[in-house]
Amino acid sequence: GATRLKTVQGAVTKVCRDHGLIDDLIYFDSDAVDGNVFLKVGHKVTATVEEDKTYGLKAIKVIPFCDSCHGNGVSDSYARVTFACINPEVEGAYYIDHTTYFLLDVVCKGFEPYQGDRVEVELCTQSDTLGRRAVSVKPLRHKHVHEVYITSLHGRKGVIDDSIFFTLESLKLPDGYIPQIYDIVNAVVVESIQSCYMWRAISMTLVKRW
């Protein structure tokens, strides 16, 4: 099929001699930077991004923001943005970074955000304020796993298949089902940074109990 491209806004988080990272997630080569500008860590950019088998996400064009450019157009602009993780701050609202927040009513159906989740965000940048507001939030990556064991339980948190974290506070379960160690389950999981785990279960159903 055709290559899927998307436009993101973010900040440079790593710079090497011939490549770098945006938001610790998007790889770019130095020759992809518009105007051959030498980027520094913290530099805000707009990038055209494609999925890449080697790097996951790769920017094929990177345009640095021009702080001295001020237009006379609309006060808000929209861009699709990929951020590394979610940080809960106050009840009812979550922060992706210190200037970007969202309310739960913009989250895609079936997904309850949790600290550490990697998400893709539709962002509203308000030119008359320092804040940025997310208008749509969904998991960056998700997958289905089938017939895997619950390998550990500690209070209201546990692990599936020694590799997938879950917490009962944000896990959808069938009515009456209480997870137990060694249960064989099916689950939907999202990419999330949880200590030594890279995936988090958001829903789980029992297949067989020993």
Side-chain angles (χ1 to χ4, degrees), residues 9 76-80 122-125 133 135:
Q9 288 182 349
D76 295 348
S77 61
Y78 289 84
R80 185 162 298 278
E122 186 84 20
L123 186 71
C124 172
T125 303
R133 178 172 59 87
V135 296

Side-chain angles (χ1 to χ4, degrees), residues 171-179 186 203-206:
L171 181 65
K172 292 189 176 181
L173 299 169
D175 290 342
Y177 173 51
I178 300 175
N186 294 336
S203 69
M204 183 191 303
T205 56
L206 178 67

